[in-house]
Amino acid sequence: MKKCLVVLVAICYGNAFAQLSVEKIDEVVARALKTFEVPGIAVAVVKDGKVVHAKGYGVRSIVTNQKVDENTLFGIASNSKAFTTAALAILVDEGKIKWDDPVRKYIPEFKMYNDYVTNEFTIRDLLTHRSGLGLGAGDLMIWPDGNNFTTADIIHNLQYLKPVSAFRTKYDYDNLLYIVAGEVLHRASGKTWQEFIDERILKPLEMSHSAASFTRLKDTTNVITPHVPTDGKLKAIVRYKSTTFDPAAGIYSSVSDLSKWAILQLQQGKYGAKKEKSLFSEQQHKQMWTPQTIEDCPPNPPYNSHFKNYGLGWQLTDVKGTLQVGHTGGLDGIVTQVTLLPELNLGIIVLTNQQSGAAFHAITNTIKDSYLGIQSEDYVVKYSSQRKEKEDNADKISEEVWQTVAKNQKDKIKTDPKKYDGTYKDNWFGEIVLTEKKGKLYFESRRSPQLVGEVFFYKDNTFAVKWNNRSFLADAFLKFSEDHTNLKMDPISPLTDFSYDFQDLDFTLVKPMPN
């Protein structure tokens, strides 16, 4: 009887950690492609130091219809942040920096809103989203593409961004400070961030198709095109190419190459056929995977997580009693996810060329559940329903605004655009110009030329700007003071990407238009 019981337990244990079949992965990806209107997806699974699945699905572009394969290159966006922390870990191992060195030791001109914070701010603080700044604060200096803000501009302008919480007390995701971290790397190593990543990480790991930036790719014949649902139809859009953003989001890679990165992480920085080489020490690897900033941890069945923290370039949580290390990334028309379960020696990578995160969550969780021994639910259906509810709510809010605008026009409610035209300045974003032309008002940013559009009367002293580039999905309110000398902004839709941080702007009229 005991022998039978032992055999039964062994069988159950084996099933609990069974690899999801290729057919099952193919099935969930096919459904995700269709349900979430994603043209192309690539998926890789690594287990016990080996690649057990690497495959492309769908097409790189709806224009060319060329197929995605395991070597197709995607922008991995904020999954680049872990490469930045790994690069800094290499410098820590070499004794060139310390995690808790003040930033001003390397960048004397670095300055935050508060002098105490400025002097106390460390390299570790750059990487852990606990600066006191709000979610995505200042991201309009990097988003959308085509602006003329440099790294030096961003470092200078940080001092004008007002904190929303006390230093080191609250998690609020940040991009700009990873750009500063890239500059620390530059000054401490003598190499640009891009040079260091290519030479010290991608080359030794033989990630031969990848590059630290799209502009550094040697071969662009197998690269995706980003896509955004625009006015009810999926649209191929122009690729984000700014190199200023690279330390936070610049790397282009494939699931084939990223599998080597995932295996390196699961091997605590070791690589090579016999793990005979080390990119960074186990000590520094532990630092990167040690909780630094506490995050909210809402209920998330079936995983029953008890904590959620940010490490150094990695999100940390527990799923069914085992550690999960991961990150997501997003650029215009591209979202990605890397998920590692070190106690299972498991890594899952999902790259997509459309900005619906529901697709990568559905795929990753389906694969993950098979290894955790969880009876997986239909995540495609679950996330499709959740997405529809959120989008319907956001659409209702936006439609009500534009219906009010249309009614104002139909009722011929008169406003004098000349009262509002002029040049307005924000300390960190610079100047915008509101111009009256033939009875209509237009918005134009001096430093971010894609932010241009017509301005419509909404109600009271509030107007709404409709961007010419409809793929932004980021129309905004303009809220004037009674005397029209001050202007604040807010996104209209609750689903506006946080990097359109209009709420952080505070414009003052500096030059009225001449009569």
Side-chain angles (χ1 to χ4, degrees):
M1 184 67 181
K2 289 182 179 180
K3 183 177 180 180
C4 292
L5 181 61
V6 170
V7 171
L8 180 60
V9 170
I11 292 172
C12 291
Y13 182 84
N15 289 339
F17 296 95
Q19 174 186 340
L20 196 67
S21 69
V22 173
E23 292 76 19
K24 288 292 185 181
I25 296 177
D26 290 350
E27 179 187 347
V28 70
V29 175
R31 293 177 61 227
L33 285 165
K34 182 178 180 180
T35 303
F36 303 116
E37 295 183 278
V38 182
I41 294 175
V43 179
V45 181
V46 300
K47 184 76 170 73
D48 299 328
K50 296 179 180 179
V51 180
V52 297
H53 183 90
K55 190 173 180 180
Y57 304 83
V59 298
R60 296 177 233 159
S61 165
I62 59 173
V63 177
T64 66
N65 285 319
Q66 293 172 307
K67 301 295 184 183
V68 174
D69 61 33
E70 70 276 15
N71 293 312
T72 298
L73 297 165
F74 294 72
I76 70 169
S78 285
N79 278 296
S80 304
K81 288 180 169 68
F83 285 79
T84 296
T85 60
L88 292 168
I90 292 171
L91 294 186
V92 173
D93 279 333
E94 293 175 350
K96 294 180 179 178
I97 65 170
K98 296 177 182 177
W99 293 116
D100 295 310
D101 279 344
V103 174
R104 297 194 84 182
K105 178 178 179 180
Y106 305 93
I107 308 177
E109 69 272 28
F110 174 81
K111 187 176 182 181
M112 299 293 283
Y113 192 78
N114 177 286
D115 287 341
Y116 170 80
V117 174
T118 297
N119 293 323
E120 294 296 316
F121 218 94
T122 66
I123 294 173
R124 189 186 302 273
D125 292 320
L126 292 174
L127 310 171
T128 48
H129 308 297
R130 62 188 190 187
S131 66
L133 298 179
L135 174 64
D139 274 5
L140 282 169
M141 288 187 279
I142 52 175
W143 199 274
D145 198 12
N147 65 74
N148 64 5
F149 289 95
T150 64
T151 298
D153 290 332
I154 290 169
I155 291 171
H156 177 267
N157 289 341
L158 283 171
Q159 63 188 297
Y160 302 121
L161 294 170
K162 297 179 181 179
V164 299
S165 61
F167 182 41
R168 295 177 182 157
T169 64
K170 184 176 180 292
Y171 174 89
D172 271 306
Y173 192 81
D174 180 272
N175 284 308
L176 299 189
L177 295 175
Y178 266 82
I179 295 172
V180 180
E183 183 61 16
V184 170
L185 180 77
H186 178 198
R187 299 193 188 188
S189 70
K191 293 182 180 291
T192 67
W193 179 89
Q194 293 86 351
E195 290 170 341
F196 196 99
I197 297 299
D198 281 346
E199 295 172 15
R200 299 294 302 275
I201 297 180
L202 302 184
K203 185 177 180 180
L205 293 182
E206 298 181 357
M207 296 174 66
S208 55
H209 294 95
S210 304
S213 177
F214 177 81
T215 59
R216 294 172 69 89
L217 288 174
K218 297 175 182 177
D219 184 355
T220 58
T221 58
N222 190 5
V223 183
I224 59 93
T225 296
H227 299 80
V228 176
T230 307
D231 295 331
K233 186 178 180 180
L234 195 64
K235 179 183 177 183
I237 65 166
V238 176
R239 184 186 318 281
Y240 187 100
K241 292 183 181 179
S242 171
T243 57
T244 301
F245 199 17
D246 283 349
I251 293 172
Y252 264 71
S253 192
S254 64
V255 292
S256 180
D257 276 0
L258 283 172
S259 294
K260 300 170 185 177
W261 168 250
I263 290 170
L264 171 88
Q265 291 291 332
L266 292 166
Q267 294 178 171
Q268 296 81 45
K270 293 181 172 59
Y271 66 104
K274 298 181 179 179
K275 304 182 189 178
E276 71 278 10
K277 302 175 185 178
S278 179
L279 196 70
F280 44 75
S281 66
E282 289 187 32
Q283 180 183 358
Q284 302 316 323
H285 180 265
K286 183 178 180 181
Q287 284 283 320
M288 289 183 275
W289 283 12
T290 295
Q292 308 285 333
T293 306
I294 297 172
E295 300 181 52
D296 290 336
C297 186
N300 64 335
Y303 300 118
N304 301 327
S305 298
H306 298 88
F307 71 87
K308 187 177 182 183
N309 301 116
Y310 200 86
L312 302 179
W314 293 99
Q315 296 276 1
L316 309 165
T317 189
D318 63 315
V319 290
K320 278 295 183 183
T322 190
L323 176 66
Q324 176 177 293
V325 181
H327 214 287
T328 59
L331 288 170
D332 282 333
I334 304 172
V335 290
T336 65
Q337 185 173 47
V338 175
T339 305
L340 308 173
L341 278 70
E343 292 162 63
L344 301 185
N345 209 357
L346 172 69
I348 305 165
I349 303 158
V350 183
L351 311 178
T352 85
N353 62 353
Q354 205 261 64
Q355 57 192 44
S356 172
F360 67 56
H361 280 305
I363 296 164
T364 295
N365 287 353
T366 301
I367 297 170
K368 180 170 69 180
D369 288 0
S370 71
Y371 286 95
L372 289 171
I374 296 173
Q375 183 63 46
S376 192
E377 58 184 303
D378 192 329
Y379 290 109
V380 173
V381 171
K382 176 180 179 178
Y383 295 139
S384 177
S385 176
Q386 290 178 355
R387 186 184 73 154
K388 186 178 187 305
E389 182 179 352
K390 290 179 181 179
E391 290 180 350
D392 286 350
N393 177 59
D395 288 346
K396 182 180 179 182
I397 292 170
S398 297
E399 286 169 6
E400 287 176 353
V401 171
W402 294 114
Q403 285 170 2
T404 299
V405 167
K407 186 176 185 300
N408 292 339
Q409 293 177 325
K410 182 180 179 181
D411 294 344
K412 297 183 179 179
I413 295 178
K414 295 292 184 180
T415 58
D416 184 1
K418 291 183 180 179
K419 288 183 179 180
Y420 303 92
D421 66 3
T423 301
Y424 296 76
K425 184 178 181 181
D426 174 82
N427 284 337
W428 59 269
F429 188 64
E431 293 182 346
I432 63 165
V433 180
L434 297 179
T435 308
E436 183 270 332
K437 298 177 184 178
K438 297 181 179 180
K440 296 181 178 181
L441 194 60
Y442 295 89
F443 180 112
E444 181 181 357
S445 167
R446 287 265 172 86
R447 301 203 64 175
S448 188
Q450 282 209 72
L451 288 179
V452 57
E454 187 175 353
V455 176
F456 300 87
F457 174 67
Y458 175 54
K459 62 182 179 181
D460 301 324
N461 283 313
T462 300
F463 288 69
V465 58
K466 180 174 284 189
W467 306 117
N468 290 351
N469 188 333
R470 302 309 301 146
S471 70
F472 286 170
L473 310 179
D475 294 336
F477 288 120
L478 307 181
K479 300 179 178 180
F480 292 89
S481 61
E482 289 294 332
D483 60 3
H484 310 151
T485 61
N486 183 260
L487 169 62
K488 295 182 182 293
M489 297 180 68
D490 274 311
I492 292 174
S493 170
L495 290 184
T496 300
D497 189 281
F498 68 78
S499 285
Y500 291 101
D501 63 317
F502 300 121
Q503 69 279 356
D504 294 322
L505 298 169
D506 189 0
F507 292 103
T508 301
L509 181 65
V510 294
K511 185 179 179 183
M513 288 295 182
N515 293 326

